[in-house]
């Protein structure tokens, strides 16, 4: 039974008799429309199989009961070559769909037929009930091979229909595909692999043999009784959420596909851990609460966006910023984090130190963290040169408008520390290190806006020339 959640809405109307208050009832649980289609366009039932399940899938889980009619066709005769676990009337039966279903199915039962030929059954979807529509795959063809030629056609099936894996070391699994019948010559069975948008082979999962053009190709040798391949989720340190890979067996000239032709593999996310996350403002407060350097001896997590690129003192330095504050990070080896990456980092075993007149966490061993998002844009806070000198914006991305470079002469470059000033004569320094991609660019001989991190010694450090030097 589905219980309705009802909201009473008062509507005030004005008429000749004065104000009239009416009550409307709105059903919050509106029914959704689900499409129905066959899970496979064709199914081969091995001569060894007496029964086969045919699956009709829904594009989304049903939130209501319904039905769809299925019309029988083909040269195989119902009640002569096969029967169904459904009531057939005038070549049609009705398949029930229950509330909460993701698929519905029916069974074919093979009879001892007098026919000496391979037969076929066509099933066609018709007349879905209210709340359901037909999908793209409205028909499927089922092949019933000659019962007297038990080994004339080999048939392959997935052993399982649904497999769950988790990211992490040792998560590899072997998928076995038994062969029913005799393989008399070499052949290739292909497995179509479909993944959601944003999921990529090699980056998020791998297989042996490899996926090429969305397919795994398996060589079948004469006499083979089974096939197999390996699939392994990549421990990617990225919070992408759990997702599913849809695998479908594709037949060949001598090997047919059985009734269990599809396999869903669910990859469970292992990086979305529930941990206590500290704000960067809280981390900066630790400096004020300590008389000198301090050590983070236990797990200490922060989350933020990497705001630095190559204009830092060396490749072990990065700047990170959350909604309130920013800070310098110094890793134990080369920084692996890219500009614009939202990341969760564990600062355990790092030390809080004042480096180059700025608060920094040094000796960080968590080099890649857990990636939460990429290509994130952090808005620069517009400040004045006077505010830049207060130290209140240390570690943050800021913007200063209407400045010029006194040293600009069509020869001087950004490399080093260069003075800039505003119209009132106040000035500050912009620092560019050798690793910056614009280090050898000429200083602009005009008024510009500057965007950068308030970094070493309180100086402005632009990061991306195309967005940080605004003419």
């Amino acid at each position: 039974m589905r219980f309705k959640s009802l909201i009473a809405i008062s509507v005030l109307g004005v008429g000749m008799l004065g104000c009239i208050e009416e009550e409307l009832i709105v059903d919050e649980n509106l029914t959704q429309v689900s499409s129905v289609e066959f899970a496979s366009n064709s199914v081969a039932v091995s001569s060894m199989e007496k029964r086969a399940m045919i699956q009709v899938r829904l594009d989304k889980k049903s939130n209501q009961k319904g039905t769809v009619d299925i019309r029988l066709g083909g040269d195989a005769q119902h009640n002569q070559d096969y029967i169904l676990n459904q009531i057939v009337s005038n070549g049609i039966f009705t398949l029930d769909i229950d509330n909460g279903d993701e698929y519905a199915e029916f069974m074919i039962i093979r009879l001892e037929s007098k026919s000496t030929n391979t037969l076929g059954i066509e099933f066609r979807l018709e007349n879905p009930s209210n709340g359901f529509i037909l999908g793209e795959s409205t028909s499927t063809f089922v092949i019933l091979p000659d019962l007297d030629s038990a080994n004339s056609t080999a048939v392959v099936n997935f052993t399982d229909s649904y497999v769950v894996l988790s990211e992490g070391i040792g998560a590899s699994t072997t998928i076995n595909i038994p062969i029913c019948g005799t393989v008399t010559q070499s052949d290739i069975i292909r497995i179509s692999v479909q993944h959601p948008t944003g999921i990529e082979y090699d980056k998020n999962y791998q297989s042996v043999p490899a996926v090429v053009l969305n397919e795994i190709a398996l060589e079948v040798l004469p006499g083979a009784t089974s096939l197999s391949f390996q699939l392994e989720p990549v421990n990617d340190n990225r919070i992408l959420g759990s997702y599913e890979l849809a695998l479908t067996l594709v037949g060949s000239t001598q090997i047919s596909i059985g009734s269990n032709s599809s396999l869903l593999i669910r990859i469970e996310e292992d990086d979305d851990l529930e941990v206590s996350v500290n704000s960067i403002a809280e981390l900066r407060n630790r400096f004020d609460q300590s008389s000198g350097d301090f050590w983070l001896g236990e797990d200490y997590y922060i989350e933020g966006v990497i705001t630095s690129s190559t204009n830092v003192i060396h490749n072990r330095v990065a700047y990170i910023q959350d909604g309130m504050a920013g800070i310098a990070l110094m890793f134990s080896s080369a920084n692996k984090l890219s500009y614009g990456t939202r990341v969760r980092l564990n600062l355990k075993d790092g030390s809080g130190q004042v480096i180059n007149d700025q608060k920094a966490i040094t000796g960080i061993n968590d080099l890649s963290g857990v990636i939460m998002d990429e290509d994130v844009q952090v808005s620069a806070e517009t400040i004045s040169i006077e505010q830049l000198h207060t130290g209140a914006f240390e570690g943050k991305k800021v913007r200063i408008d209407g400045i010029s470079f006194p040293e600009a002469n069509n020869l001087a470059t950004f490399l080093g520390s260069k003075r800039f000033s505003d119209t009132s004569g106040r000035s500050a320094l912009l620092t560019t290190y050798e690793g910056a991609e614009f280090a050898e660019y000429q200083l602009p001989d005009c008024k510009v806006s500057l965007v950068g991190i308030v970094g070493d010694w309180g100086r402005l450090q632009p990061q991306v020339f195309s967005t940080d030097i605004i003419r």
Side-chain angles (χ1 to χ4, degrees):
M1 180 181 294
R2 185 171 70 91
F3 292 91
K4 293 183 177 179
S5 176
L6 301 177
I7 302 176
I9 302 177
S10 294
V11 178
L12 194 61
V14 180
M16 294 180 61
L17 298 179
C19 296
I20 302 173
E21 186 172 292
E22 298 180 358
E23 191 175 69
L24 301 179
I25 304 298
V26 179
D27 185 355
E28 282 187 313
N29 296 316
L30 298 176
T31 56
Q32 66 182 9
V33 175
S34 300
S35 70
V36 292
E37 64 179 7
F38 284 109
S40 177
N41 291 324
S42 64
V43 177
V45 178
S46 139
S47 56
M48 306 291 289
E49 293 179 283
K50 300 301 183 184
R51 303 183 179 208
M53 299 299 295
I54 307 300
Q55 193 175 87
V56 176
R57 65 187 174 197
L58 282 67
D59 68 331
K60 57 178 69 71
K61 184 182 292 186
S62 170
N63 67 353
Q64 60 185 311
K65 290 186 175 182
T67 60
V68 63
D69 289 344
I70 300 181
R71 182 179 296 276
L72 279 58
D75 55 5
Q77 300 299 310
H78 182 250
N79 283 333
Q80 178 176 311
D81 302 307
Y82 70 95
I83 57 174
L84 304 175
N85 64 339
Q86 304 284 331
I87 299 175
V88 178
S89 176
N90 295 321
I92 298 175
F93 68 90
T94 300
L95 187 65
D96 292 328
I97 303 170
D98 285 333
N99 185 11
D101 277 354
E102 295 182 5
Y103 64 89
E105 57 187 8
F106 59 93
M107 180 185 293
I108 299 172
I109 303 171
R110 185 78 185 268
L111 299 178
E112 293 292 338
S113 172
K114 296 180 180 179
S115 173
T116 59
N117 299 317
T118 295
L119 303 173
I121 318 168
E122 184 184 26
F123 294 103
R124 185 171 294 278
L125 298 173
E126 297 178 351
N127 303 321
S129 61
N130 288 338
F132 299 89
I133 60 173
L134 296 181
E136 294 183 0
S137 182
T138 58
S139 66
T140 188
F141 195 77
V142 179
I143 300 171
L144 303 177
D146 177 11
L147 288 172
D148 293 331
S149 55
N151 291 325
S152 62
T153 303
V155 178
V156 291
N157 282 289
F158 284 119
T159 302
D160 301 301
S161 297
Y162 196 72
V163 172
V164 179
L165 302 176
S166 179
E167 290 182 4
I169 298 173
S172 174
T173 190
T174 299
I175 305 297
N176 292 307
I177 306 172
I179 300 174
C180 183
T182 302
V183 178
T184 58
Q185 60 185 6
S186 297
D187 208 337
I188 298 292
I189 284 290
R190 302 185 185 278
I191 301 169
S192 169
V193 182
Q194 301 297 321
H195 49 238
T197 301
I199 301 301
E200 300 177 22
Y201 179 75
D202 257 349
K203 184 177 180 180
N204 305 114
Y205 71 96
Q206 297 173 337
S207 66
V208 179
V211 174
V212 178
L213 298 177
N214 295 324
E215 284 188 341
I216 297 174
L218 300 178
E219 183 180 10
V220 189
L221 298 177
T225 58
S226 67
L227 302 171
S228 67
F229 65 93
Q230 286 187 309
L231 190 136
E232 180 176 7
V234 174
N235 193 20
D236 54 15
N237 292 322
R238 297 170 185 267
I239 298 180
L240 299 172
S242 299
Y243 60 91
E244 290 180 344
L245 304 177
L247 279 60
T248 305
L249 288 165
V250 180
S252 68
T253 55
Q254 70 155 338
I255 301 176
S256 301
I257 306 303
S259 56
N260 194 22
S261 61
S262 300
L263 171 63
L264 280 179
I265 298 181
R266 182 174 177 82
I267 310 296
E268 296 283 359
E269 180 65 79
D270 74 336
D271 295 311
D272 193 10
L273 303 175
E274 291 191 11
V275 297
S276 176
V277 177
N278 303 276
S279 71
I280 295 176
E282 290 172 330
L283 177 58
R284 293 183 66 87
N285 286 338
R286 293 284 294 266
F287 289 83
D288 301 327
Q289 297 164 0
S290 303
S291 57
D293 298 349
F294 60 88
W295 179 59
L296 298 172
E298 298 179 349
D299 288 336
Y300 193 97
Y301 293 93
I302 61 170
E303 289 179 1
V305 179
I306 300 299
T307 54
S308 59
S309 182
T310 56
N311 191 18
V312 289
I313 194 168
H314 51 68
N315 65 6
R316 291 184 285 114
V317 172
Y319 285 80
I320 189 170
Q321 182 175 328
D322 60 14
M324 298 297 294
I327 197 167
L329 305 175
M330 297 188 180
F331 295 88
S332 58
S333 60
N335 167 36
K336 297 182 179 180
L337 298 171
S338 301
Y339 177 82
T341 300
R342 186 184 301 279
V343 64
R344 178 198 298 152
L345 285 169
N346 189 354
L347 305 184
K348 181 181 179 181
D349 293 331
S351 297
Q353 298 180 18
V354 175
I355 305 291
N356 297 343
D357 288 344
Q358 64 183 329
K359 295 174 180 177
I361 304 298
T362 65
I364 299 170
N365 295 317
D366 187 2
L367 303 179
S368 55
V370 173
I371 307 301
M372 307 174 71
D373 202 355
E374 294 178 303
D375 300 323
V376 179
Q377 297 299 317
V378 174
S379 298
E381 186 171 350
T382 301
I383 65 171
S384 64
I385 290 179
E386 186 177 12
Q387 289 174 303
L388 176 65
H389 289 312
T390 65
F393 298 91
E394 184 184 289
K396 291 185 70 175
K397 186 176 182 179
V398 301
R399 172 175 174 151
I400 304 177
D401 293 323
I403 67 91
S404 59
F405 293 94
E407 299 175 53
N409 58 6
N410 294 323
L411 293 174
T413 66
F414 279 92
L415 181 61
S417 293
K418 300 299 166 67
R419 187 168 299 279
F420 61 89
S421 59
D422 59 19
T423 54
S424 66
R426 289 171 296 193
S427 63
L429 290 176
L430 179 149
T431 293
T432 305
Y433 291 103
E434 288 183 347
E437 46 98 9
F438 55 90
E440 298 299 332
Y441 290 11
Q442 290 180 4
L443 292 174
D445 190 11
C446 60
K447 284 189 177 180
V448 296
S449 295
L450 296 178
V451 175
I453 298 161
V454 183
D456 297 333
W457 301 284
R459 299 171 183 176
L460 194 67
Q461 293 175 217
Q463 297 299 313
V464 180
F465 183 82
S466 61
T467 59
D468 292 357
I469 312 298
I470 306 167
R471 297 177 184 268

